[in-house]
Every structure is written in C-alpha cells, then in structure tokens.
Amino acid sequence: MRIDVVTIFPDYLKVLDLSLVGRAADRGTLDLHVHDLRDHAHDRHRTVDDTPLGGGAGMVMKPDVWGEALDDVLAVDAPAERRQVLIIPTPSGEVFTQRTAEDLAGADSLVLACGRYEGIDTRVPEHYASRGIEVRELSIGDYVLNGGEAAAVVMIEAIARLLPGVLGNPESLVEESHGAAGLLEYPVYTRPTRWRDLEVDPVLLSGDHARIARTRRDQAIARTVSRRPDMIANLDAAHLDREDRAMLATMGWAVPVGAGRPVPVRIRAATDSDAEALADLAARTFPDACEHVIAPEFIAKHVTTNLVPGLFRTWAADDRVDLVVAELLAPLPSSQASSGTEPIGASAGPDLVGYAAVLREEPDAAGELPRGIDPRPACVQSRHGQVVGELSKVYIDSSMRGSGLTPALMSTVMQQAAGHGVNLFWLGTHVTNKRAQKAYKRAGFRQAGTRTYNVGGQDAHDVVMIRRTGEGL
C-alpha cells in the first residue's frame, strides 16, 4: 500500500519512523511519503490560508493551494480497479473505528490531507469526489485538535498494522480490542505471577486451554459491559454461544429469540408491586413445563388456584422466600413477544420476562412453613445442620429462551438463598421436560429420585434433583 500525507508540518510525521510503520516502510512493505503543502504556495510568504468568506473567527486553508498539492499525489486517471482514498481528518467527519481501519486497509493507496486552523475549504473534497475520487472525512473522536496531523498518525497506525507483514506476529490481531468479536480485549498479565500482593487468576496457570479461553472470554465480556455498553448493544447475536449469553445475562444483557442484538435486562428482588405482573408471567410460562402431558383444563385450574397475585405478594413479604425477577428495560418488537399476549414492553407495569424462587424449609412463630412450599420428597435426605430450600420456580418467557436468563436467574436466587443459610437445594420438574433437566444439570443439580405432583387435580410425575452448596455454581 502507498500512503501519502500532505501537511504544513512534515516533521510531525517523523514519529512514524519510530514505530512498526517505519520499519514496514524501510522493508518496502509500506510505501510512505510525506509532502509539504507550502511547496505549492507561490507567494513570498508561502501563504496557505485566508479569512473565511462571510466573516467569522480563524482562518481557512486555501483551495487553490490544496488543489495543486493533491493533483500531484492523486492519480485521477487511475484504473477503476485500483482503489485510492482521499482522507481528510476533521472533527466534523464520520467516526473512525476499527471497522473503518479494516475497510481502508483494503485500499491500494491513501492520501491524507492534514488541515489546520478552521479547516480546508469545503470545495476541495467536493471537487475530488466529483472527479471520481473516494473521499472520506473522518474524526478520531468528539474533541478538537490543532490540526489533522495527530489524527493522521492515529489512522495510519491503525490501518498499517492490519497490512500483511507489518506486525511480527499476525495472531496479535485475533483477539485484540475492537476486533471482529465486537468486545474489548481481556486483561493481560505476565511474570511475576505475584506482584505487590496482587495475584493472577490461577486458571491462567492451569494449562487448561479451554478453561483459559472461557475465562478470557468472560473477562472480555465483563470489561466491555463495564466500559463500553454501547458495544454490547451492537454485538452480533449469531456469534454468541450459550456461555456468552449466560455471562451477558448475569451482567444485565439478554438476547431474545430471533433478535440480532442483546437487550438490557435487570435481575432484582421482587416487590409487592410486582405481584400482578408475576401472576401474568406465571400464567404464560407454567404451561411450558407440562403442556404436552397435562390436560389444559388442569393446567388452567392450577394457575388460577395457585399462581395468583396473592401468592407473590406473600412471597415478596416473607423473609424465608428468595424471589427474584428479570425485568426487561427496553421494549421488544411485537414479533418477538409471546404469541397471543400483549407485546412485552407495551404495558404500564414492570416488563417481567422471568422469575425464580427458593422457599426455605423453616417454620414461622406459628409453626407454619412458607405458603406454597411443597412437601419434601423422601429421596431428599438432609444431613445434620443443613438448611433445605426448594427451588420452587424458575421460569422465563418464551421470547427469552436461550437468552442466558435461566442460569442467571438460578445463580442469583441460589446465591441469595445460600446467604440466608440454605445449603441443600431440591426441585421437581416433569419427567418429560428434558430441556429443564439439562439446564438444572448444567447448574450442578443431580437426580435424586422421583415424586408424584398434583397439577389442578391431575397427577404429574416429576424428576427430583438436588444440589448442595459447594457443588455446581
């Protein structure tokens, strides 16, 4: 690639000689030329600027001087298949990003016109665009510099390092910040492994390359969520695996069914004001667990008898119940909302798309257990001193299946319950619900037996699964 830079301060660009760009130029990998704009000013003072027409502060760079300079370096009659780009650094241009750098790295030649003062006469880019030259006015950020030279150096560094043979190790490009993954780079470390009482993650020393890759990916996601949520909002969902989605969900982002990008969500403790919305959510999610094996009339009876606003108000007020919800913070398009219901995000109440509850097996002062807790199956054997909790509910709206919310809800509610003393969890899920069983196994549960469970008057057969603290999550 050939790069030409036109400037009134040619020495400014000498900084490139100190970098990999300079080495690439010495090797011939890159053909770099710097030109003095004043060589094309023919008056005694080598004038390159004049006052702005219409008045105003500052000075504007003259089009006749720029035209002569650019005519010398631009190949206006170049073959159509040869791509040359005139780049004008300016704070009023489109934002220069890694994607821009990748695109420009595919050009045959670049000419960077470094303006000063109030900029270059607007007719200059207009003229060359009309002559068939590709013109890009680019900004490296929302701030103003004294001139385009610093921005030109930034752009040349970003573009040149993508060219074959410029970097010593091409693999350095694979996982860096702003790469194709759309994430910031994960934290990096070197020896010594302990420095000033700070230690690196032991996973990095384990030699387990799969675990290292997963840890780094999670760290990259966490760093991007914290520093650049705008990048998270633009992630391509097609490139996110199950672990990515689960990590994102724990940090407030989920990918709805059919959506190309994550949307913001919040997992929080339920309150009394969530009762109505929770009952609505329960009514549309409970059938997912057993609709193919329990008759609809029995499901409907169970929902209207048990999953009512009063139950959720009681749970929200009972300190023996850990109840958390997933709340959508931006409306979903109606095409992604649950079929047959009002589009999520259209109601006046909280837009709940998931909930989970753990009920502790502890009697109150009157000797009563929490409302709605199921009798513990005989196959769930507790050890001395263990506090037992039933993972009573983990449901998400059908629009959010595969979004990562299920493991995020489970992790949140079980951590809360463990903080309240629960060290043995159990749950029941229908024997035919293989999707749920796989999700619970990934969360560290194992099968302990079976039970018979009554749903609206019809018996259902459940798999019973348990997990002790320290296992799984």
Side-chain angles (χ1 to χ4, degrees):
M1 173 186 281
R2 175 175 173 124
I3 299 179
D4 291 271
V5 184
V6 184
T7 171
I8 61 173
F9 295 118
D11 288 348
Y12 201 115
L13 280 296
K14 287 185 177 179
V15 66
L16 292 171
D17 295 338
L18 306 176
S19 68
L20 290 173
V21 175
R23 295 180 189 176
D26 290 341
R27 294 195 304 268
T29 306
L30 186 67
D31 191 11
L32 180 63
H33 301 267
V34 180
H35 311 271
D36 190 341
L37 176 66
R38 294 190 187 276
D39 290 343
H40 301 275
H42 303 297
D43 65 316
R44 183 175 62 180
H45 301 290
R46 305 179 77 199
T47 305
V48 298
D49 61 305
D50 204 343
T51 57
L53 296 178
M59 303 292 281
V60 177
M61 302 193 84
K62 295 166 63 67
D64 50 342
V65 179
W66 270 108
E68 183 175 313
L70 293 176
D71 284 348
D72 272 5
V73 295
L74 282 169
V76 177
D77 299 323
E81 65 273 11
R82 178 176 172 80
R83 184 186 177 195
Q84 61 175 343
V85 185
L86 170 60
I87 299 172
I88 301 179
T90 169
S92 60
E94 62 178 294
V95 177
F96 179 86
T97 68
Q98 186 68 17
R99 304 290 85 78
T100 314
E102 291 167 358
D103 172 57
L104 293 173
D108 296 291
S109 66
L110 305 176
V111 176
L112 290 94
C114 299
R116 283 265 156 178
Y117 319 122
E118 296 303 310
I120 300 171
D121 188 302
T122 302
R123 290 170 293 181
V124 173
E126 289 177 353
H127 167 75
Y128 287 101
S130 71
R131 299 290 301 276
I133 300 295
E134 182 180 345
V135 179
R136 301 287 294 274
E137 296 186 68
L138 299 173
S139 167
I140 61 169
D142 294 337
Y143 45 85
V144 179
L145 302 171
N146 286 330
E149 289 78 12
V153 169
V154 168
M155 294 180 197
I156 293 170
E157 285 268 4
I159 295 166
R161 66 192 304 276
L162 300 176
L163 301 175
V166 173
L167 287 187
N169 182 5
E171 293 183 5
S172 299
L173 299 172
V174 175
E175 291 185 337
E176 63 186 2
S177 294
H178 304 287
L183 299 170
L184 299 180
E185 191 173 12
Y186 50 78
V188 294
Y189 305 92
T190 188
R191 294 178 180 83
T193 59
R194 181 181 178 87
W195 177 76
R196 296 188 179 180
D197 296 327
L198 297 173
E199 296 186 4
V200 300
D201 190 327
V203 171
L204 300 178
L205 309 176
S206 68
D208 186 333
H209 298 296
R211 285 183 65 205
I212 291 171
R214 183 67 255 167
T215 296
R216 285 175 166 171
R217 178 78 170 179
D218 288 345
Q219 290 173 338
I221 290 172
R223 175 177 277 188
T224 310
V225 168
S226 172
R227 299 180 181 180
R228 292 293 303 276
D230 58 305
M231 293 175 63
I232 296 294
N234 288 311
L235 283 178
D236 185 349
H239 297 155
L240 301 173
D241 62 22
R242 185 178 67 233
E243 287 80 7
D244 292 339
R245 292 172 184 236
M247 181 66 182
L248 282 167
T250 63
M251 305 199 73
W253 294 85
V255 183
V257 173
R261 300 286 185 268
V263 296
V265 295
R266 176 173 59 191
I267 296 177
R268 59 172 175 81
T271 66
D272 181 81
S273 62
D274 294 318
E276 296 289 343
L278 273 168
D280 289 342
L281 178 60
R284 66 178 186 261
T285 56
F286 178 77
D288 290 344
C290 52
E291 63 180 343
H292 300 300
V293 291
I294 302 293
E297 61 269 24
F298 293 104
I299 293 176
K301 182 178 179 181
H302 177 83
V303 169
T304 57
T305 302
N306 297 286
L307 303 178
V308 294
L311 170 70
F312 295 108
R313 289 193 184 94
T314 300
W315 280 0
D318 192 335
D319 61 8
R320 297 169 298 170
V321 177
D322 291 286
L323 177 63
V324 298
V325 296
E327 180 180 8
L328 193 68
L329 300 181
L332 290 182
S334 58
S335 61
Q336 293 167 5
S338 299
S339 59
T341 65
E342 182 182 21
I344 298 173
S347 63
D351 302 324
L352 304 187
V353 290
Y355 73 110
V358 171
L359 283 62
R360 294 201 300 281
E361 199 176 275
E362 293 179 350
D364 60 13
E368 298 292 330
L369 293 174
R371 178 180 173 182
I373 194 170
D374 293 324
R376 191 205 310 176
C379 59
V380 180
Q381 301 292 325
S382 64
R383 300 168 185 166
H384 178 71
Q386 283 190 323
V387 178
V388 179
E390 179 191 1
L391 184 57
S392 176
K393 301 286 185 290
V394 182
Y395 290 117
I396 63 166
D397 189 86
S398 60
S399 65
M400 306 301 286
R401 287 178 184 166
S403 66
L405 275 178
T406 297
L409 280 167
M410 272 197 288
S411 175
T412 300
V413 78
M414 293 175 69
Q415 286 177 13
Q416 286 189 11
H420 295 148
V422 176
N423 44 30
L424 172 61
F425 296 90
W426 75 272
L427 61 89
T429 186
H430 199 275
V431 292
T432 64
N433 195 346
K434 301 300 183 183
R435 184 181 72 244
Q437 292 171 41
K438 287 180 180 179
Y440 293 132
K441 285 181 180 178
R442 286 194 293 267
F445 282 86
R446 56 184 174 83
Q447 185 172 344
T450 60
R451 71 165 180 172
T452 300
Y453 181 67
N454 189 271
V455 177
Q458 180 178 342
D459 284 344
H461 301 290
D462 280 359
V463 169
V464 175
M465 307 180 77
I466 65 170
R467 205 205 82 184
R468 304 179 193 277
T469 50
E471 299 175 345
L473 291 173

